Amino acid sequence: MTGWTRRRLAASGVAILAAPALLRNAGAAPLSGDPSDTSGLYRFTLGAFTVTAILDAAAMIDGPWPIVGEDRPRTEVEALMRENRLPPDRFKPGFTPILVDTGRERVLFDTGNGEVGFVKRPAGGRLAERLRAAGHDPGGIDHVVLTHCHTDHIGGLMEAGRPAFPNATIAVGAAELDFWTKDARLGSAPEGNEHTSALVVRSHLVPQVARIRTIRPGEEVVPGIAAVAAPGHTPGHLAYHVENAGRRMLIWGDCAHHEVASLARPDWHALFDMDKAMGAATRRSLYGMAAADEILVAGYHTAFPSLGYVVAMGTGYRWIPVSYQLDP
């Protein structure tokens, strides 16, 4: 895979506007006025779209090794953390679904941990309550868009055995759905992420098949929101390009598990990538495009509000988290 370019994105059906500083005047309206606020909500505008980052889970966990850099000595990953003034053996990832309100439709990207995810309640599975705090009833969501089918992204699809978003279509990559619904997935190691995710696909996604819409790279979910191929983490993993009135955002799902380690060393293997080499190639591709085009990025597992910019740095990249860039 080579770096994504404007031409390649356009060829896949994604409209690109040639503006060098595409989000400089995005006109933000944070719910709290501070991305570090503990409400777990951060709102801004993207053209005429209103975007809300919603923290589904907050937990300090061991790492980032081997979640990032599983093919490297632990000491090498820990040294990188120390160089960046971070704890060497613990980190606090985001689990951050994104809500885009176009003014006509409400589009939710990923559904968090729910009752069954990696981060248990009360620390995790808080999407629905925070949606309501942001003024949105789950019944008012028009489209749920899944970047992929790991448990911490689809666990919130059901609540107490019922659809959590009963009026929404569920958009999922065609290749992703095909992969996870094959019986072979249940033959994987019972303690592994593949087996666990396959079970949750059957309990949370398959029962809602009447509302599932399969999507392929280049196709639009709604006008201004189009899928971008991002395989490797899972076979059908998708990113999404969001654009309105010349403002752009890339929702890249799990193309980074740590805002320092994943970007500084994109070739390091990620523990949860199902195809390690393809995952690394996708990281380089999307990081390069985001850096070259100065696009705002929503990174599901970067620290809340899980929004930032990417710049090239040596042989890798650097994450610049949102602070006041999106303020009016």
Side-chain angles (χ1 to χ4, degrees), residues 2 43 65 71 74 146 165 200 208 211 225 301 327:
T2 59
R43 179 177 287 162
W65 184 91
D71 61 327
R74 178 173 182 163
L146 303 175
F165 306 97
V200 178
Q208 303 186 66
R211 292 188 288 113
I225 300 176
H301 287 301
D327 290 356

Side-chain angles (χ1 to χ4, degrees), residues 201-221:
V201 165
R202 281 160 175 75
S203 63
H204 284 55
L205 183 57
V206 172
Q208 303 186 66
V209 65
R211 292 188 288 113
I212 290 176
R213 171 193 171 189
T214 56
I215 194 164
R216 291 171 172 78
E219 294 181 354
E220 285 194 324
V221 178

